[in-house]
Amino acid sequence: MLTESSPLLAIKQQQQQQQQDAQLPWLLHSKADEPLVSRALSWLWPCWGATQDSRTDDENERVLLALGGVTVVRRAATESKTEADTLNVDIDSEQVVAEALDVDIDSHGNYIHTIAIRSGSNNNSSSSEVRAPRRSLVLTHGYFAGVGFFFRNYQGLSKVPGWDIYAIDWLGMGRSSRPTYKGVRDEGDERRATHAEDFFVESLEAWRQRMGIDKMVLCGHSFGGYMVGVYALRYPQHVEKLVMLSPIGVPEAPHDLENMIWQGYEPVHRQLHPKEGEYRMKSNNEAPVYNGKPSWQRLLLFRTSVYMWDRNYSPQWVVRLCGPFGRRVVNWYIGRFSLLTDEQRAGMAAYAHQHALLAESSASSLGDFLRPGGFGRRPLVNRVPDVTMPTVLFYGSHDWVGSAGGEEIVRRIGGRVATRIHYVPNASHNFHIDNPAVFNRLMIEEMTRTDE
């Protein structure tokens, strides 16, 4: 009988992996940073899969933010804060003025694209409050997103007196610079995850230093929620409060995760909460129940997805692979936001599509710190309970990321620091977009709490 540590078992698993790889589409058998099909199509049609520069055009970002009542004014990051605070812009009085700046973080030309709404620049503070020490809220986006995905939140959050509101594009994502990201796939889960975390967390710390922010309420959504959790553990002295919005990478994965997905079964699923009408995750080790054997189409989809995930292919690469049809892929994705107007969905689609056409960078890191299904290679549930600051989690009522992991974090913290979980009704994973009125109200409550 083969045990888990048996060398024969390891050889057998390696042989099975080779057989599985051979069954996958030939287009994947090339370098991840220059796929064979992308090269072939670019020879036939030079614009197919072409990338753009992150600083070339900010029109889609401006349009999307304007749909949320925000007027963007671009300035150089070297301008003083005093000049920024006294912006003289002729705009509608209902609009919020935001600065767009690219903050240099090193000597190699890397920068973090930032949206900043300063207290006092939008008549949200009295003169005495403007002179008083300000507090800072820093928003970080999720995967396949950017600062524009908070377009329905800036106006509401900026009304809180005495607060500077910042949102950043993670390094290598959105309109931030796109340095080459090199994964370490063959070095084990621990090293692989730490490598990706270092890339994002250290660039966030460099941004904080450059901005001169001593302490901040640090808020991240999904992928961003994972990274702000890691940042808070590494730099607790700079985090006033940790806010994780439906963070991925929290719970432990089922012991047979890869095999479960390979057989066409989802490792997690939701059930309707009988009293509250909210979706909650079942135990990750409960066997999913399906009627009959998964179809070959489902098997092909799941197996191809696992292969691509583990080898750091990104959804953005898929969009570029589709060339002139890539916008249709993005339109399909954004079409899920059924609570938005057609104009808002069109603005989000144009914004997301433009980002997908930028040069590949850290979007390819997802498989380094996450296993298929969104489980962390270094699960946060085993780490975040060590935090030393108030910690708050948010989930949508129909969130595909279940709240069980967050509830376990709260249980393990055990009252050592203040903790809370908010459930946003009538909302999915992107609840800050689906139900901004409730999310903004709850977020403002967290910003202004005085009992911690």
Side-chain angles (χ1 to χ4, degrees):
M1 179 177 179
L2 297 179
T3 65
E4 200 169 86
S5 59
S6 170
L8 292 177
L9 178 60
I11 295 174
K12 181 180 179 181
Q13 291 175 335
Q14 183 178 13
Q15 290 173 340
Q16 289 175 340
Q17 182 66 52
Q18 291 172 347
Q19 293 173 355
Q20 293 167 355
D21 291 352
Q23 299 171 8
L24 293 164
W26 66 273
L27 63 89
L28 299 178
H29 292 279
S30 58
K31 295 187 297 180
D33 57 345
E34 192 179 7
L36 181 59
V37 167
S38 294
R39 285 183 287 160
L41 291 175
S42 66
W43 295 334
L44 297 173
W45 188 0
C47 68
W48 194 297
T51 59
Q52 302 176 359
D53 182 83
S54 60
R55 274 179 162 158
T56 56
D57 182 13
D58 62 357
E59 181 63 22
N60 288 325
E61 179 177 282
R62 289 174 177 271
V63 169
L64 181 58
L65 293 184
L67 292 174
V70 179
T71 294
V72 178
V73 178
R74 175 168 283 278
R75 74 172 176 87
T78 54
E79 291 180 28
S80 70
K81 293 180 181 179
T82 301
E83 292 169 354
D85 292 343
T86 57
L87 287 171
N88 184 17
V89 184
D90 184 18
I91 59 171
D92 188 322
S93 61
E94 296 297 319
Q95 293 274 310
V96 170
V97 179
E99 309 158 48
L101 54 152
D102 295 332
V103 181
D104 295 329
I105 59 171
D106 60 27
S107 59
H108 305 292
N110 289 311
Y111 56 88
I112 296 292
H113 181 64
T114 305
I115 293 295
I117 303 175
R118 309 282 188 175
S119 174
S121 63
N122 290 281
N123 299 318
N124 63 344
S125 300
S126 66
S127 59
S128 61
E129 288 170 332
V130 171
R131 290 192 297 269
R134 299 172 179 174
R135 299 172 72 186
S136 299
L137 169 66
V138 178
L139 302 169
T140 69
H141 61 82
Y143 194 76
F144 207 95
V147 296
F149 274 48
F150 292 107
F151 77 105
R152 304 191 79 187
N153 313 117
Y154 292 122
Q155 193 173 61
L157 298 179
S158 67
K159 294 178 180 178
V160 184
W163 282 80
D164 291 337
I165 311 297
Y166 302 97
I168 66 167
D169 283 336
W170 289 102
L171 182 63
M173 297 182 178
R175 297 184 61 79
S176 290
S177 60
R178 300 283 178 129
T180 300
Y181 177 86
K182 293 186 179 297
V184 287
R185 175 173 168 256
D186 298 326
E187 297 188 23
D189 281 358
E190 185 81 12
R191 171 70 183 119
R192 191 175 179 184
T194 302
H195 174 77
E197 293 169 4
D198 289 347
F199 184 94
F200 295 106
V201 170
E202 295 308 318
S203 59
L204 174 58
E205 170 60 9
W207 174 87
R208 183 203 63 79
Q209 294 179 22
R210 182 70 175 81
M211 295 296 291
I213 300 172
D214 181 43
K215 291 184 79 73
M216 55 190 166
V217 172
L218 185 56
C219 175
H221 176 252
S222 194
F223 153 82
Y226 177 97
M227 288 302 169
V228 299
V230 177
Y231 179 95
L233 291 168
R234 194 174 297 186
Y235 296 103
Q237 69 274 26
H238 299 302
V239 181
E240 179 182 344
K241 178 182 286 188
L242 173 63
V243 183
M244 296 188 288
L245 311 178
S246 190
I248 55 176
V250 174
E252 293 272 10
H255 68 279
D256 60 344
L257 173 66
E258 279 77 11
N259 180 63
M260 188 181 296
I261 296 178
W262 195 259
Q263 298 303 319
Y265 298 107
E266 295 180 55
V268 295
H269 56 299
R270 295 170 287 277
Q271 62 177 354
L272 190 64
H273 194 278
K275 292 184 178 180
E276 301 177 22
E278 295 172 348
Y279 283 92
R280 299 292 181 88
M281 300 295 289
K282 287 186 177 181
S283 167
N284 289 330
N285 288 308
E286 288 188 38
V289 178
Y290 290 102
N291 294 323
K293 186 177 180 181
S295 65
W296 70 267
Q297 296 96 329
R298 184 185 181 91
L299 284 173
L300 178 62
L301 174 63
F302 274 46
R303 294 182 180 187
T304 302
S305 298
V306 169
Y307 183 94
M308 294 177 68
W309 183 295
D310 192 53
R311 286 155 181 79
N312 290 353
Y313 286 87
S314 70
Q316 291 87 330
W317 171 80
V318 174
V319 172
R320 292 193 297 274
L321 180 68
C322 292
F325 305 104
R327 177 60 185 270
R328 296 187 182 184
V329 176
V330 177
N331 287 347
W332 168 81
Y333 169 69
I334 298 299
R336 302 179 307 160
F337 292 88
S338 59
L339 299 178
L340 298 181
T341 66
D342 290 343
E343 185 180 23
Q344 290 170 332
R345 282 194 294 271
M348 286 185 65
Y351 173 79
H353 182 239
Q354 183 184 34
H355 286 185
L357 297 183
L358 301 179
E360 186 70 64
S361 180
S362 59
S364 63
S365 68
L366 202 62
D368 279 345
F369 65 93
L370 291 180
R371 297 172 68 185
F375 297 97
R377 296 188 186 278
R378 300 179 67 204
L380 285 185
V381 71
N382 298 328
R383 304 157 68 191
V384 170
D386 294 332
V387 296
T388 58
M389 72 288 297
T391 300
V392 182
L393 296 105
F394 283 70
Y395 293 94
S397 59
H398 297 75
D399 204 325
W400 69 266
V401 175
S403 61
E407 291 165 356
E408 178 63 14
I409 285 178
V410 171
R411 188 191 69 79
R412 293 191 188 186
I413 289 177
R416 183 173 46 80
V417 297
T419 56
R420 279 175 299 282
I421 298 182
H422 296 295
Y423 300 96
V424 180
N426 303 316
S428 60
H429 183 55
N430 290 280
F431 43 80
H432 56 296
I433 299 176
D434 292 338
N435 195 344
V438 172
F439 170 76
N440 290 348
R441 175 178 59 80
L442 293 172
M443 193 68 213
I444 290 172
E445 289 178 6
E446 294 299 337
M447 293 165 64
T448 56
R449 288 185 75 100
T450 59
D451 59 346
E452 297 174 331

PDB file of all heavy atoms in Angstrom, residues 355-366:
ATOM      1  N   HIS A 355      -7.285  47.685 -19.351  1.00  0.00           N
ATOM      2  CA  HIS A 355      -6.282  47.133 -18.443  1.00  0.00           C
ATOM      3  C   HIS A 355      -5.781  45.770 -18.930  1.00  0.00           C
ATOM      4  O   HIS A 355      -4.601  45.441 -18.780  1.00  0.00           O
ATOM      5  CB  HIS A 355      -6.861  46.986 -17.040  1.00  0.00           C
ATOM      6  CG  HIS A 355      -7.014  48.290 -16.319  1.00  0.00           C
ATOM      7  ND1 HIS A 355      -7.415  48.378 -15.006  1.00  0.00           N
ATOM      8  CD2 HIS A 355      -6.812  49.564 -16.737  1.00  0.00           C
ATOM      9  CE1 HIS A 355      -7.453  49.646 -14.638  1.00  0.00           C
ATOM     10  NE2 HIS A 355      -7.102  50.388 -15.669  1.00  0.00           N
ATOM     11  N   ALA A 356      -6.690  44.972 -19.498  1.00  0.00           N
ATOM     12  CA  ALA A 356      -6.294  43.647 -19.978  1.00  0.00           C
ATOM     13  C   ALA A 356      -5.313  43.744 -21.138  1.00  0.00           C
ATOM     14  O   ALA A 356      -4.552  42.804 -21.387  1.00  0.00           O
ATOM     15  CB  ALA A 356      -7.523  42.850 -20.396  1.00  0.00           C
ATOM     16  N   LEU A 357      -5.325  44.861 -21.863  1.00  0.00           N
ATOM     17  CA  LEU A 357      -4.432  45.035 -23.004  1.00  0.00           C
ATOM     18  C   LEU A 357      -3.062  45.570 -22.604  1.00  0.00           C
ATOM     19  O   LEU A 357      -2.177  45.683 -23.451  1.00  0.00           O
ATOM     20  CB  LEU A 357      -5.072  45.985 -24.026  1.00  0.00           C
ATOM     21  CG  LEU A 357      -6.372  45.501 -24.668  1.00  0.00           C
ATOM     22  CD1 LEU A 357      -6.856  46.510 -25.701  1.00  0.00           C
ATOM     23  CD2 LEU A 357      -6.191  44.132 -25.306  1.00  0.00           C
ATOM     24  N   LEU A 358      -2.888  45.903 -21.330  1.00  0.00           N
ATOM     25  CA  LEU A 358      -1.580  46.356 -20.875  1.00  0.00           C
ATOM     26  C   LEU A 358      -0.642  45.163 -20.742  1.00  0.00           C
ATOM     27  O   LEU A 358      -1.079  44.015 -20.669  1.00  0.00           O
ATOM     28  CB  LEU A 358      -1.713  47.094 -19.546  1.00  0.00           C
ATOM     29  CG  LEU A 358      -2.620  48.337 -19.564  1.00  0.00           C
ATOM     30  CD1 LEU A 358      -2.688  48.965 -18.182  1.00  0.00           C
ATOM     31  CD2 LEU A 358      -2.132  49.354 -20.580  1.00  0.00           C
ATOM     32  N   ALA A 359       0.646  45.434 -20.682  1.00  0.00           N
ATOM     33  CA  ALA A 359       1.649  44.369 -20.659  1.00  0.00           C
ATOM     34  C   ALA A 359       1.443  43.447 -19.455  1.00  0.00           C
ATOM     35  O   ALA A 359       1.097  43.904 -18.361  1.00  0.00           O
ATOM     36  CB  ALA A 359       3.046  44.982 -20.625  1.00  0.00           C
ATOM     37  N   GLU A 360       1.647  42.164 -19.671  1.00  0.00           N
ATOM     38  CA  GLU A 360       1.512  41.178 -18.600  1.00  0.00           C
ATOM     39  C   GLU A 360       2.518  41.469 -17.493  1.00  0.00           C
ATOM     40  O   GLU A 360       3.676  41.781 -17.738  1.00  0.00           O
ATOM     41  CB  GLU A 360       1.744  39.779 -19.140  1.00  0.00           C
ATOM     42  CG  GLU A 360       1.481  38.662 -18.141  1.00  0.00           C
ATOM     43  CD  GLU A 360       0.004  38.499 -17.824  1.00  0.00           C
ATOM     44  OE1 GLU A 360      -0.784  38.160 -18.722  1.00  0.00           O
ATOM     45  OE2 GLU A 360      -0.350  38.710 -16.660  1.00  0.00           O
ATOM     46  N   SER A 361       2.066  41.358 -16.261  1.00  0.00           N
ATOM     47  CA  SER A 361       2.946  41.572 -15.117  1.00  0.00           C
ATOM     48  C   SER A 361       2.440  40.719 -13.965  1.00  0.00           C
ATOM     49  O   SER A 361       2.324  39.503 -14.090  1.00  0.00           O
ATOM     50  CB  SER A 361       2.997  43.061 -14.749  1.00  0.00           C
ATOM     51  OG  SER A 361       3.853  43.293 -13.644  1.00  0.00           O
ATOM     52  N   SER A 362       2.082  41.350 -12.844  1.00  0.00           N
ATOM     53  CA  SER A 362       1.752  40.595 -11.639  1.00  0.00           C
ATOM     54  C   SER A 362       0.407  39.892 -11.696  1.00  0.00           C
ATOM     55  O   SER A 362       0.078  39.142 -10.779  1.00  0.00           O
ATOM     56  CB  SER A 362       1.797  41.524 -10.424  1.00  0.00           C
ATOM     57  OG  SER A 362       0.880  42.592 -10.570  1.00  0.00           O
ATOM     58  N   ALA A 363      -0.400  40.119 -12.745  1.00  0.00           N
ATOM     59  CA  ALA A 363      -1.640  39.346 -12.880  1.00  0.00           C
ATOM     60  C   ALA A 363      -1.340  37.852 -12.970  1.00  0.00           C
ATOM     61  O   ALA A 363      -2.182  37.017 -12.638  1.00  0.00           O
ATOM     62  CB  ALA A 363      -2.425  39.806 -14.104  1.00  0.00           C
ATOM     63  N   SER A 364      -0.130  37.523 -13.403  1.00  0.00           N
ATOM     64  CA  SER A 364       0.259  36.120 -13.521  1.00  0.00           C
ATOM     65  C   SER A 364       0.693  35.513 -12.188  1.00  0.00           C
ATOM     66  O   SER A 364       1.126  34.368 -12.145  1.00  0.00           O
ATOM     67  CB  SER A 364       1.400  35.982 -14.533  1.00  0.00           C
ATOM     68  OG  SER A 364       2.560  36.670 -14.086  1.00  0.00           O
ATOM     69  N   SER A 365       0.553  36.270 -11.096  1.00  0.00           N
ATOM     70  CA  SER A 365       0.993  35.780  -9.786  1.00  0.00           C
ATOM     71  C   SER A 365      -0.064  34.971  -9.057  1.00  0.00           C
ATOM     72  O   SER A 365       0.224  34.362  -8.021  1.00  0.00           O
ATOM     73  CB  SER A 365       1.382  36.975  -8.903  1.00  0.00           C
ATOM     74  OG  SER A 365       0.215  37.737  -8.570  1.00  0.00           O
ATOM     75  N   LEU A 366      -1.294  34.953  -9.561  1.00  0.00           N
ATOM     76  CA  LEU A 366      -2.406  34.385  -8.814  1.00  0.00           C
ATOM     77  C   LEU A 366      -2.131  32.951  -8.376  1.00  0.00           C
ATOM     78  O   LEU A 366      -2.394  32.569  -7.233  1.00  0.00           O
ATOM     79  CB  LEU A 366      -3.683  34.444  -9.661  1.00  0.00           C
ATOM     80  CG  LEU A 366      -5.009  34.400  -8.902  1.00  0.00           C
ATOM     81  CD1 LEU A 366      -5.154  35.596  -7.980  1.00  0.00           C
ATOM     82  CD2 LEU A 366      -6.184  34.327  -9.865  1.00  0.00           C
TER      83      LEU A 366
END
